[in-house]
Amino acid sequence: MLAFLFRRLAAGAVLVVVVATTTFLLLSLTGTDVARNILGETATQSAVTAKRHELGLDQPLVERYWHWAEHALQGNLGSSWFTGEPVNQSLTDTLPVTLSIVLAGMLVAAVLSVTLGTAAALRGGWVDRVVQFAAVLGTAVPSFLIALVLAVTLAVQLGWLPATGYVALGDSPGDWLRSITLPALSLAVAATAATAMQVRGALIDVLRADFVRTLRARGLTTRSVVFRHALRNAAPPALTVLALQFIGLIGGAVVVEKVFGLPGIGTLANSAAVRGDAPVLLGTVVVTVVIVVAVNLLLDIAYGWLNPKVRIS
Amino acid sequence: MRKTAAIVGAGILTATVAACGGGTQASGGDKTLTLAESVTATPWDLARASMGPEAQYYQPVYDTLIRLDTKGNPTPNLATSWSYDKAQTTLTLKLRQGVKFTDGTAVDADAVAKSLLHTKSGTASAASEIQDITGVDVVDSHTVAVRLSHPSASLLPALGQVSGMIASPKALDNPKTPVGSGPYQLDTSATTAGQTYTYTRNAGYWNTKAFPYEKIVIKFLSDPAARTNALLSGQLDGATLSLNRVKTVKGRGLNVVTYQPGDIEGLYIWDRAGKIVPALGKVKVRQALNYAFDKNAIIKSAKTGLGTPTTQLFAKGEDGYQAALDDTYSYDPAKAKKLLAEAGYPNGFSVTVPDLSANFPQEQAALTQSLEDIGIKVKQDTLPTDQIFSAMLAGKYAMSYFKLGAPTSWDKVQLELTKKSTWNPLKYDDPKAGDLIDRIGTATGAARTSLMSQLNTYVVDQAWNAPWDVIANAYATAKDVKVTPQPGSQYPPIYNYEPAGN
């Protein structure tokens, strides 16, 4: 298992390097005159040239990449070309926001999808049809629309929750929870829909398996069969979908953060991309990839816990 | 039953969370003014500061030499009095005694001179406003003399805006935290750069009573829907509003003011010499373009009826504005086609314009449809947002939809009419207009106004652009907050906010 994890870690590291390099290349090929954008419309050409030199943009691409990578490996992701703020600081400020809504969204999605998927698989009939219809609806409706509807109804009309903004967990746990609830629910809908269908399908398959029939024959209650045995065997495919959803939620967070005015990593990446602020954009990409790799690693560990065969292989 | 409860888990979670909270309400009543900004802040270094909506980020911290009142007239602030010499090229300002920056340094003539020259050394819009300054002399400890290359009517208004803000000499170059002598200071512990800026009172400020709020919070909210939701749910005390949301917000009982900061939108013709599209070098073709747009229909559909149709560069109240000029070109597509035929283009011509529909979808649609209606074939060039303006400034396009504004007529002239103007990307040079501009630069009083009118008339007759309307802005405030818009400012300055009923 340990060797397996090391292999996955190494693969993750390669992925980080590949994505960072590709992003660096793409940013270098956009043709944006960053120095001009920074200095403003009235800057003279000589001032723009001096700025390009200051930013190192007149250096060969390989040299610039090496310079960035060398510092990045030491944990220094540079500073924003526009505000001068260290990228590490920007990420420290914004990452908790995004992680809060994504993890909360995941939690809601996990609980609801297991509940709905199990209900659909066990009850069948109208319950199954309602769950399937809701899942199709949840997948089809974009998260920004859900976010807007939630904001208008629960925040603006009813005033139950804040329409915008984020409160740090350390400042006030209650307000933190209130500030992330609507964004997390907006993100959770699509993830719930996709995962619930996976749980339903996998559970139906497992419930038809020979070992389940054997367990029933031995007189185990339905609850014991489902919750102690069937669900555990149906979990790996659902976990895979949930992990993929996590990656999707990070992407979806860009739009949801905008609707709820949240200062998260999506907002940071968005404004950096619009301005051509390469250090900030690279920093957000690297951190996002690291998170994705970490989630996949956790998924592998969870597989091993759920299924001993994985540990052996 | 258990399953039912589980299925409504999300609802329960929402309700529980909703119940466990107090309020996140903005509170004009509790002496905190919470505002939203639609753009991110530019750096604290005044040499890199912008003068648009970004000004609100600077206003709490940096005090200006002059305060512009709600009609745009200069009134005393850090400078208690001022006067020009006979040639109108030296402005002498007497400074207020006993004022200090929040770092304890005195706001004296030396500090003012250093700050002004530092701002001027930059290249952003705050710097470009004071490029006519050739030097700042320290006359005595509390008197400075600002020398100009030529008389400039825009200097005093500029000194009442970001260009006239004064920073501590110890924090001029790229400060991480702004140090000024304004009514508030930045609370770094409650500030997240790029997102939320919190300002608390500067206890030593000389004019505290002009600022009724103990704390100001400015949040960056780029999304119009998010701003509206935050306003309606009571999280904000003030924010700019999309015109299509005015009715909704008014209907909820919030205060909404609409005003015209003087920005002119429409078709801007950059290639008046016909370098890229030869047809545009002909006056009749440019005049034909002016007859192509149904301005009232555009205002009705794209601007929810808010905005004033115009044909000229200057807005009402600005030097050189002439109401009669607005009748020069009325919507007449048949006449437009006739003029095109007379100019030798009976079948129109082709032109490539930048596709600005990401930011201005209705305006871009109105532009292309109207031009195609008179036989002009429009090709839309799509570029990433961060490259469009660079491409436009580099002279890539012959014409485009655009909107431009500046605090005064002279600023508008400098911005777009001179050969060197930033928004004259193809560096069009017209000797007659150039001569008028030169004369305006040295004229004063009624003679100056007359020359400005002549320039305006000439530009309209020659159809340099095809303006549609003077843009209207809408700004909403909470029920307990009153705001007064400021001429020439996209957002009201922070000293124009007060509790309602005052």
Side-chain angles (χ1 to χ4, degrees):
Chain A
M1 183 70 183
L2 212 58
F4 171 74
L5 286 178
F6 274 124
R7 277 202 304 278
R8 297 309 301 258
L9 261 179
V14 171
L15 185 68
V16 172
V17 172
V18 168
V19 173
T21 310
T22 310
T23 309
F24 191 93
L25 284 173
L26 287 173
L27 283 171
S28 305
L29 296 173
T30 57
T32 304
D33 191 348
V34 178
R36 167 70 62 186
N37 286 354
I38 293 169
L39 291 176
E41 298 144 6
T42 59
T44 60
Q45 194 50 47
S46 60
V48 172
T49 307
K51 191 71 185 175
R52 295 191 89 242
H53 178 71
E54 182 192 325
L55 298 176
L57 292 171
D58 53 355
Q59 301 293 314
L61 192 64
V62 176
E63 203 169 309
R64 274 160 49 202
Y65 178 69
W66 180 247
H67 179 78
W68 175 82
E70 199 179 7
H71 286 82
L73 279 172
Q74 293 165 29
N76 177 7
L77 291 167
S79 297
S80 162
W81 282 345
F82 286 80
T83 64
E85 188 178 49
V87 176
N88 289 2
Q89 184 59 49
S90 300
L91 293 171
T92 307
D93 291 338
T94 54
L95 200 54
V97 182
T98 305
L99 285 182
S100 294
I101 62 169
V102 169
L103 291 175
M106 282 288 288
L107 186 67
V108 173
V111 171
L112 284 182
S113 59
V114 170
T115 309
L116 294 173
T118 307
L122 291 181
R123 287 287 185 89
W126 70 269
V127 175
D128 189 20
R129 284 195 293 278
V130 167
V131 170
Q132 286 194 62
F133 177 74
V136 170
L137 204 64
T139 311
V141 180
S143 58
F144 80 87
L145 197 59
I146 295 166
L148 278 172
V149 170
L150 287 177
V152 170
T153 53
L154 298 182
V156 176
Q157 302 289 347
L158 298 171
W160 288 0
L161 293 159
T164 60
Y166 173 77
V167 177
L169 178 61
D171 290 348
S172 165
D175 285 344
W176 169 78
L177 193 58
R178 284 164 49 77
S179 70
I180 66 164
T181 300
L182 292 183
L185 286 179
S186 311
L187 288 173
V189 172
T192 304
T195 317
M197 282 300 89
Q198 195 62 48
V199 171
R200 172 189 170 276
L203 195 58
I204 287 173
D205 285 345
V206 171
L207 288 174
R208 286 176 186 155
D210 290 344
F211 79 92
V212 171
R213 201 179 321 122
T214 308
L215 289 171
R216 286 189 198 279
R218 287 179 61 193
L220 265 69
T221 61
T222 302
R223 181 192 288 185
S224 178
V225 168
V226 171
F227 290 103
R228 294 192 60 189
H229 302 278
L231 262 181
R232 190 166 173 161
N233 279 279
L239 262 183
T240 306
V241 172
L242 205 58
L244 287 174
Q245 289 300 321
F246 179 86
I247 297 161
L249 292 197
I250 292 182
V254 176
V255 177
V256 170
E257 282 174 13
K258 201 171 168 66
V259 173
F260 290 102
L262 298 174
I265 202 167
T267 306
L268 183 72
N270 190 31
S271 59
V274 168
R275 292 195 293 197
D277 199 343
V280 177
L281 202 51
L282 273 167
T284 55
V285 167
V286 167
V287 166
T288 308
V289 176
V290 167
I291 291 171
V292 169
V293 168
V295 167
N296 282 326
L297 202 65
L298 286 174
L299 183 70
D300 289 334
I301 294 169
Y303 277 159
W305 173 70
L306 287 165
N307 187 351
K309 276 191 291 184
V310 174
R311 274 174 268 174
I312 296 160
S313 63
Chain B
M1 187 65 197
R2 255 198 315 274
K3 291 188 181 73
T4 311
I7 287 165
V8 297
I12 293 168
L13 172 68
T14 308
T16 308
V17 168
C20 77
T24 50
Q25 304 290 297
S27 35
D30 73 359
K31 298 285 186 184
T32 295
L33 182 69
T34 307
L35 307 174
E37 265 283 357
S38 60
V39 295
T40 48
T42 43
W44 292 121
D45 188 334
L46 290 172
R48 296 172 64 190
S50 292
M51 286 194 56
E54 299 90 342
Q56 271 192 345
Y57 290 111
Y58 298 93
Q59 286 160 354
V61 177
Y62 295 125
D63 219 359
T64 49
L65 283 171
I66 281 163
R67 167 74 42 82
L68 299 175
D69 68 14
T70 50
K71 288 181 178 163
N73 298 317
T75 63
N77 200 45
L78 280 177
T80 53
S81 63
W82 52 87
S83 62
Y84 273 109
D85 66 346
K86 257 190 176 172
Q88 301 270 318
T89 52
T90 301
L91 176 72
T92 303
L93 299 122
K94 291 272 181 197
L95 302 175
R96 191 172 295 280
Q97 304 267 351
V99 180
K100 287 188 173 175
F101 294 105
T102 48
D103 64 2
T105 313
V107 181
D108 56 14
D110 194 44
V112 168
K114 278 182 180 157
S115 184
L116 280 180
L117 291 173
H118 175 75
T119 303
K120 183 192 177 268
S121 71
T123 50
S125 56
S128 68
E129 283 297 303
I130 50 172
Q131 287 308 302
D132 293 338
I133 294 178
T134 53
V136 182
D137 301 328
V138 175
V139 178
D140 61 41
S141 67
H142 282 82
T143 310
V144 289
V146 179
R147 284 182 280 112
L148 297 167
S149 56
H150 55 82
S152 169
S154 61
L155 180 65
L156 279 175
L159 295 182
Q161 301 182 61
V162 181
S163 310
M165 289 180 175
I166 303 300
S168 168
K170 292 176 184 168
L172 286 177
D173 281 311
N174 286 322
K176 285 193 173 165
T177 304
V179 182
S181 61
Y184 301 88
Q185 49 190 333
L186 187 72
D187 179 358
T188 50
S189 65
T191 293
T192 304
Q195 301 299 337
T196 303
Y197 297 81
T198 303
Y199 307 85
T200 51
R201 263 202 196 286
N202 168 11
Y205 189 62
W206 63 275
N207 190 20
T208 303
K209 69 175 191 299
F211 296 87
Y213 296 98
E214 292 299 321
K215 193 197 278 187
I216 290 182
V217 178
I218 299 179
K219 296 178 176 181
F220 166 54
L221 285 175
S222 63
D223 187 55
R227 287 198 298 273
T228 308
N229 288 341
L231 266 168
L232 292 175
S233 62
Q235 286 188 295
L236 290 176
D237 292 316
T240 189
L241 209 58
S242 300
L243 295 177
N244 59 7
R245 291 186 163 88
V246 168
K247 223 175 177 178
T248 311
V249 174
K250 265 187 180 171
R252 294 288 297 264
L254 273 69
N255 304 316
V256 179
V257 287
T258 53
Y259 55 101
Q260 295 181 344
D263 295 17
I264 308 290
E265 76 171 342
L267 173 70
Y268 279 74
I269 304 167
W270 314 115
D271 186 23
R272 295 169 206 128
K275 289 178 187 170
I276 301 172
V277 177
L280 294 174
K282 301 198 171 189
V283 176
K284 280 192 175 176
V285 169
R286 300 200 299 267
Q287 288 172 336
L289 298 179
N290 272 269
Y291 284 112
F293 298 103
D294 186 348
K295 297 164 190 172
N296 288 312
I298 292 173
I299 292 170
K300 197 175 172 190
S301 61
K303 307 283 158 187
T304 65
L306 295 166
T308 307
T310 190
T311 307
Q312 56 192 304
L313 172 66
F314 305 135
K316 194 176 178 183
E318 293 178 355
D319 211 13
Y321 168 81
Q322 294 172 73
L325 279 179
D326 284 335
D327 298 326
T328 312
Y329 307 105
S330 48
Y331 176 54
D332 192 342
K335 193 167 183 179
K337 285 179 182 171
K338 190 167 166 264
L339 281 168
L340 283 175
E342 285 174 14
Y345 296 94
N347 299 316
F349 55 91
S350 296
V351 64
T352 301
V353 301
D355 184 359
L356 299 171
S357 48
N359 294 318
F360 308 105
Q362 290 163 303
E363 291 85 349
Q364 187 76 20
L367 178 89
T368 49
Q369 186 60 55
S370 303
L371 292 177
E372 282 173 1
D373 284 350
I374 62 164
I376 294 170
K377 292 160 209 68
V378 181
K379 186 187 167 203
Q380 300 194 66
D381 190 23
T382 307
L383 278 177
T385 311
D386 64 329
Q387 292 173 37
I388 286 180
F389 296 113
S390 300
M392 287 171 74
L393 282 167
K396 184 178 176 186
Y397 301 106
M399 61 189 205
S400 70
Y401 163 80
F402 210 51
K403 55 180 178 180
L404 283 174
T408 66
S409 297
W410 181 243
D411 292 325
K412 284 184 175 175
V413 170
Q414 295 299 311
L415 184 69
E416 52 187 303
L417 296 190
T418 75
K419 191 188 172 187
K420 291 180 179 172
S421 291
T422 305
W423 284 107
N424 177 11
L426 287 154
K427 303 304 167 200
Y428 177 62
D429 188 19
D430 182 310
K432 186 174 178 187
D435 177 55
L436 279 169
I437 292 167
D438 287 344
R439 287 160 62 197
I440 292 167
T442 54
T444 55
R448 192 171 189 279
T449 302
S450 167
L451 286 166
M452 199 69 93
S453 298
Q454 287 177 48
L455 176 65
N456 194 14
T457 307
Y458 181 71
V459 166
V460 171
D461 286 346
Q462 292 293 305
W464 277 29
N465 296 314
W468 300 346
D469 62 294
V470 186
I471 289 174
N473 275 10
Y475 198 88
T477 53
K479 291 173 187 172
D480 57 353
V481 175
K482 182 186 162 195
V483 71
T484 310
Q486 182 94 5
S489 291
Q490 289 183 24
Y491 285 11
I494 58 153
Y495 47 82
N496 281 8
Y497 293 80
E498 59 180 325
N502 270 15

